[in-house]
């Protein structure tokens, strides 16, 4: 690395920190790929800036979205972050698979160091900045609507969580343009991330990006838990909540207790790197296993943090599109709570190979097998819900069916890995990679995409194109089987994971199939973008303003699409789990209130954007040792918090007259819409009112 350019101002930045300079000095394919990725980020940012400027949308973006405390807009922005990061993670996955497919007996086109960066960023993005923002966005959007609330308990805290997540994601993207990322994997194990092994900026990017994301998730968990406990509408007891609200509650509790160990682990690792504390240096009084325990005390509950909301989504989708009440509601609630509790008892199975005693390994192996029981209960409940139901094979339902089949296969391999002797054999092979993806892709990604398709009409007022949705779903499923089933074979044959080059030529056909699968997965994402583009162009023909295109059961379907800022003109009073569904059968689902009242809502605030941008600047400054910027950023964060404490005018009033005007316009649209039977619910005839059947 060349000498720093201006240490007092730019810290340890040097010209060869830029991938463009490295590609100019050493124009290999490896460096050109890095420069191309950086160029895509720069061009993307410039394009967005120019587009917003040309359309004169900066004021609109700031006032309507970036400073909004509306839980629905915050939820949508979370999902936007997740989809952007998913695109990058898919590109990196394709690069890794392509490298392994061509590097059989030769070095390939990606250098070992670069390959290590790819699998580190891919894993970190998919867990921290795709799955977490996606599920957080869905929970943010749906839970207040499902429990009959007007907003979350702490709207400003909600926005701060969004902006801290955005700051962490921004650090991940900046690492493409300035410097390099960590080579220590998504788990950041020392000594690979210690200063002696890796003195570069990569581990620091990982530390501060993950720290910002973990703090944001902790704040979100507190917010969602308090919202569900304290803000349910009259009559909405815990056992009357939709399953998605239940899984969201358990997820929030997991966030509250699982994210702090991760924050502590990254903080201690930062102290090791910046101040030489050596918490995890065995030769100097530390213990690397302390890091492993802290990380996996977060890491295994994290698996269920990202999967439990998907379980709630599948429950809503299967019930709705089977035209039946969810079978075994109480058992599903108990199973959800059991999974949440048991998820804290199995973290040690992630390092069966690291030298624990046989008795400890046996105890955690048994706990690992036990957690499969409540998961199996859910599968049976969904199957019985579909049994003798009027199953409609819409895109969300296809995702649910694909999940059930694929997740069971992944669960069987999980039972295999619960045996410490078998785990010892395959732990560092591609068998484990196949299992991990076998659980998270159908368990999380399919669930998120099912929710995206299912609730998109509620969020934006028009349905997504069904044809392109099915094409995308088919590609996700086909791509998954092609990309990951060969890895079971390769892992059983002994191919190590995180391998940049392959010496065994017998692996060639399986690696080729895996690369084809990765390409199909990328095409699935492209089809998802095409679906959105086509749907936007056809939006006028697919409007569902009345808000109930699927004959839904929850309270979220009892409002317009999209819902007004205040959600409900009059908060519902429920007397059973499916109050809205039953009200439609009694022909009184949209009774207007006797009178309208003023509604108080939180006022927009610039506090969250300022804190998020300043926190991102602090993270960037700490990566590059730009101490003046780190101090300035911290002062801005602290000053903003103090200044906010003096603000008293934090709410605004929506007049009763404005509420009445909005509600009357919606009720008129409901009255004019023609109820449609389920057989044509995916056609333009669907105007947002389903034909009610007894």
């Amino acid at each position: 690395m060349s000498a720093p350019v201006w240490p007092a101002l730019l810290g340890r930045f040097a010209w060869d920190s830029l991938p463009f300079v490295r590609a100019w000095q050493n124009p290999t394919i490896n460096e050109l790929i890095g420069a191309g990725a950086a160029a895509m980020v720069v061009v993307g940012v410039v394009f967005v800036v120019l587009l917003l400027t040309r359309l004169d949308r900066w004021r609109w973006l700031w006032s309507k979205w970036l400073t909004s405390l509306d839980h629905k807009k915050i939820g949508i922005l979370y999902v936007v972050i997740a989809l952007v990061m998913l695109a990058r993670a898919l590109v990196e996955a394709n690069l890794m698979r392509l490298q392994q497919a061509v590097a059989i007996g030769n070095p390939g086109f990606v250098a070992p160091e670069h390959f290590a960066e790819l699998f580190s960023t891919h894993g970190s993005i998919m867990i921290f900045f795709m799955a977490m923002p996606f599920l957080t966005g869905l929970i943010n959007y749906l839970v207040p609507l499902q429990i009959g609330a007007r907003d979350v308990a702490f709207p400003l805290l909600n926005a701060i969580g969004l902006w801290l997540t955005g700051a962490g994601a921004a650090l991940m993207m900046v690492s493409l343009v300035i410097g390099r990322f960590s080579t220590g994997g998504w788990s950041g194990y020392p000594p690979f991330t210690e200063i002696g092994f890796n003195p570069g900026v990569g581990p620091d990017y990982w530390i501060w990006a993950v720290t910002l994301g973990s703090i944001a998730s902790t704040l979100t968990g507190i917010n969602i838990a308090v919202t569900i406990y304290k803000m349910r509408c009259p009559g909405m007891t815990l056992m009357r909540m939709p399953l998605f609200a239940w899984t969201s509650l358990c997820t929030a509790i997991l966030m509250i207790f699982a994210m702090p160990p991760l924050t502590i682990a990254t903080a201690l690792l930062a102290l090791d790197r910046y101040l030489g504390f050596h918490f995890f240096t065995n030769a100097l009084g530390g213990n690397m296993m302390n890091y492993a325990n802290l990380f996996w005390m977060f890491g295994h509950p994290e698996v269920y943090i990202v999967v439990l909301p998907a379980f709630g989504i599948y429950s809503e989708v299967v019930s709705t599109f089977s035209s039946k009440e969810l079978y075994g509601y109480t058992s599903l609630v108990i199973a959800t709570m059991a999974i949440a509790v048991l998820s804290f008892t199995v973290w040690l199975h992630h390092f069966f190979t690291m030298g624990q005693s046989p008795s400890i390994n046996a105890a955690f192996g048994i706990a690992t097998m036990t957690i499969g029981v409540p998961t199996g209960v859910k599968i049976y409940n969904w199957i019985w819900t579909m049994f003798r139901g009027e199953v409609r094979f819409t895109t969300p339902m296809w995702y649910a069916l694909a999940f059930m089949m694929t997740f069971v296969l992944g669960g069987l391999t999980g039972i295999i890995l619960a045996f410490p002797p078998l785990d010892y054999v395959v732990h560092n092979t591609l068998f484990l990679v196949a299992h991990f993806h076998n659980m998270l892709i159908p368990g999380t990604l399919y669930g998120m995409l099912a929710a995206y398709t299912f609730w998109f009409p509620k969020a934006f007022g028009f349905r997504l194109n069904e044809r392109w949705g099915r094409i995308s779903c088919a590609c996700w499923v086909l791509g998954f089987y092609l990309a990951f089933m060969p890895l079971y074979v390769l892992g059983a044959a002994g191919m190590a994971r995180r391998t940049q080059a392959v010496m065994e030529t017998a692996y060639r056909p399986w690696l080729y199939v895996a690369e084809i699968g990765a390409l199909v997965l990328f095409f699935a994402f492209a089809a998802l973008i095409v679906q959105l583009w086509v749907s936007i162009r056809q939006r006028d023909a697919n409007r569902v303003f009345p808000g109930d295109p699927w004959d839904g059961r929850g309270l979220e379907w009892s409002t317009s699409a999209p819902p007004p800022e205040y959600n409900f003109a009059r908060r519902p009073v429920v007397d059973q789990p499916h109050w809205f569904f039953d009200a439609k059968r009694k022909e009184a689902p949209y009774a207007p209130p006797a009178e309208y009242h003023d509604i108080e809502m939180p006022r927009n605030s610039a506090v969250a954007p300022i804190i998020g941008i300043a926190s991102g600047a602090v993270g960037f400054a700490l990566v590059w040792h730009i101490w003046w910027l780190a101090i300035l950023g911290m002062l801005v964060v602290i000053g903003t918090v103090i200044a906010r404490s003096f603000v008293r005018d934090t709410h605004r009033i929506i007049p009763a007259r404005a509420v009445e005007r909005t509600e009357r316009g919606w009720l008129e649209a409901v009255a004019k819409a023609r109820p449609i039977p389920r057989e044509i619910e995916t056609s333009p005839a669907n105007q947002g009112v389903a034909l009610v059947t007894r």
Side-chain angles (χ1 to χ4, degrees), residues 106-130:
N106 67 80
F109 57 89
V110 176
E113 186 86 1
H114 191 182
F115 189 85
E117 292 176 37
L118 287 173
F119 69 69
S120 299
T121 52
H122 173 78
S124 301
I125 285 172
M126 290 299 286
I127 295 295
F128 298 114
F129 299 108
M130 193 292 291

Side-chain angles (χ1 to χ4, degrees), residues 365 368-373 410-420 422 435:
T368 302
M369 295 179 215
T370 303
I371 204 170
V373 175
L412 293 174
T413 61
I415 297 300
I416 293 173
L417 292 170
F419 287 90
L422 291 176
H435 164 72

Side-chain angles (χ1 to χ4, degrees), residues 640-674:
T640 302
V641 173
I642 293 173
R644 173 68 181 187
S645 69
F646 288 96
V647 176
R648 293 293 176 264
D649 186 21
T650 59
H651 288 78
R652 63 185 181 86
I653 301 296
I654 302 176
R657 182 176 299 177
V659 175
E660 182 177 5
R661 184 168 58 249
T662 300
E663 293 299 304
R664 288 189 182 278
W666 168 55
L667 292 174
E668 288 174 5
V670 172
K672 291 178 182 178
R674 180 172 65 89

Side-chain angles (χ1 to χ4, degrees), residues 177-522:
V177 182
I178 307 175
R180 300 177 185 271
F181 197 70
S182 174
T183 57
W186 81 277
S187 54
Y189 276 155
F192 304 111
T193 50
E194 291 280 7
I195 196 74
F197 190 89
N198 191 338
V201 299
D204 299 321
Y205 267 123
W206 183 87
I207 287 170
W208 301 118
V210 169
T211 299
L212 289 171
S214 66
I215 293 172
S217 296
T218 305
L219 299 179
T220 297
I222 294 170
N223 208 348
I224 296 302
V226 174
T227 299
I228 294 175
Y229 281 135
K230 295 294 187 181
M231 300 188 70
R232 302 189 306 276
C233 67
M236 179 68 75
T237 62
L238 287 174
M239 294 307 291
R240 288 176 180 169
M241 293 196 308
L243 241 297
F244 182 77
W246 258 111
T247 56
S248 299
L249 174 60
C250 291
T251 298
I253 295 170
L254 290 179
M255 286 181 177
I256 294 169
F257 289 100
M259 303 310 295
L262 174 64
T263 308
I264 292 170
T266 55
L268 294 179
L269 186 59
L271 289 173
D272 272 17
R273 289 183 60 84
Y274 286 80
L275 298 176
F277 274 41
H278 299 293
F279 285 112
F280 309 123
T281 309
N282 289 341
L284 294 172
N287 190 338
M288 178 264 173
M289 288 304 298
N290 288 337
Y291 180 92
N293 277 283
L294 282 170
F295 184 86
W296 288 111
M297 284 175 66
F298 143 81
H300 200 84
E302 168 68 10
V303 173
Y304 293 98
I305 286 173
V306 299
V307 165
L308 279 179
F311 288 170
I313 291 163
Y314 295 129
S315 298
E316 304 288 336
V317 167
V318 169
S319 176
T320 299
F321 291 112
S322 298
S323 306
K324 278 182 64 180
E325 184 175 345
L326 192 63
Y327 180 87
Y329 171 88
T330 302
S331 63
L332 280 169
V333 171
I334 294 171
T336 300
M337 292 189 291
I339 289 172
V341 172
L342 289 172
S343 69
F344 285 99
T345 69
V346 294
W347 82 89
L348 196 137
H349 75 215
H350 289 277
F351 40 100
F352 274 154
T353 62
M354 294 186 185
Q356 284 69 231
S357 68
S359 58
I360 292 177
N361 281 352
F364 279 86
I366 293 169
T368 302
M369 295 179 215
T370 303
I371 204 170
V373 175
T375 307
V377 168
K378 290 177 175 288
I379 297 290
Y380 280 110
N381 281 79
W382 293 322
I383 292 173
W384 280 108
T385 301
M386 291 185 290
F387 181 66
R388 291 187 177 177
E390 297 178 18
V391 179
R392 292 115 69 194
F393 294 102
T394 59
T395 300
M397 193 65 180
W398 280 119
Y399 278 118
L401 293 171
F403 151 75
M404 279 183 261
M405 293 184 291
T406 311
F407 197 79
V408 168
L409 293 175
L412 293 174
T413 61
I415 297 300
I416 293 173
L417 292 170
F419 287 90
L422 291 176
D423 182 82
Y424 191 87
V425 174
V426 299
H427 186 83
N428 283 312
T429 72
L430 286 177
F431 191 94
L432 192 68
V433 175
H435 164 72
F436 187 73
H437 288 82
N438 205 159
M439 303 306 287
L440 282 189
I441 288 183
T444 300
L445 184 60
Y446 289 2
M448 301 299 110
L449 294 175
Y452 166 77
T453 310
F454 185 53
W455 280 292
F456 186 95
K458 173 57 59 178
F460 295 99
F462 60 93
R463 289 178 295 100
L464 288 168
N465 182 275
E466 183 71 11
R467 177 171 173 269
W468 276 103
R470 294 185 181 191
I471 290 173
S472 180
C473 177
C475 290
W476 284 115
V477 176
L478 176 63
F480 166 82
Y481 281 108
L482 290 175
F484 295 105
M485 289 303 165
L487 302 192
Y488 282 120
V489 179
L490 290 168
M495 181 173 170
R497 52 183 172 149
R498 311 186 188 101
T499 303
Q500 178 261 352
V502 182
M503 297 298 111
E504 179 58 66
T505 56
Y507 297 160
R508 189 190 307 272
W510 300 105
L511 290 171
Y512 285 173
V513 173
E515 167 54 17
I516 292 171
L519 290 172
V520 175
L521 289 173
F522 189 78

Side-chain angles (χ1 to χ4, degrees), residues 508-544:
R508 189 190 307 272
W510 300 105
L511 290 171
Y512 285 173
V513 173
E515 167 54 17
I516 292 171
L519 290 172
V520 175
L521 289 173
F522 189 78
F523 183 79
F525 182 80
L528 201 69
I529 301 303
V530 172
Q531 180 197 29
L532 179 60
W533 173 256
V534 170
S535 302
I536 292 173
R537 298 194 60 169
Q538 298 174 346
R539 63 188 181 278
D540 291 333
N542 293 296
R543 296 281 185 191
V544 290

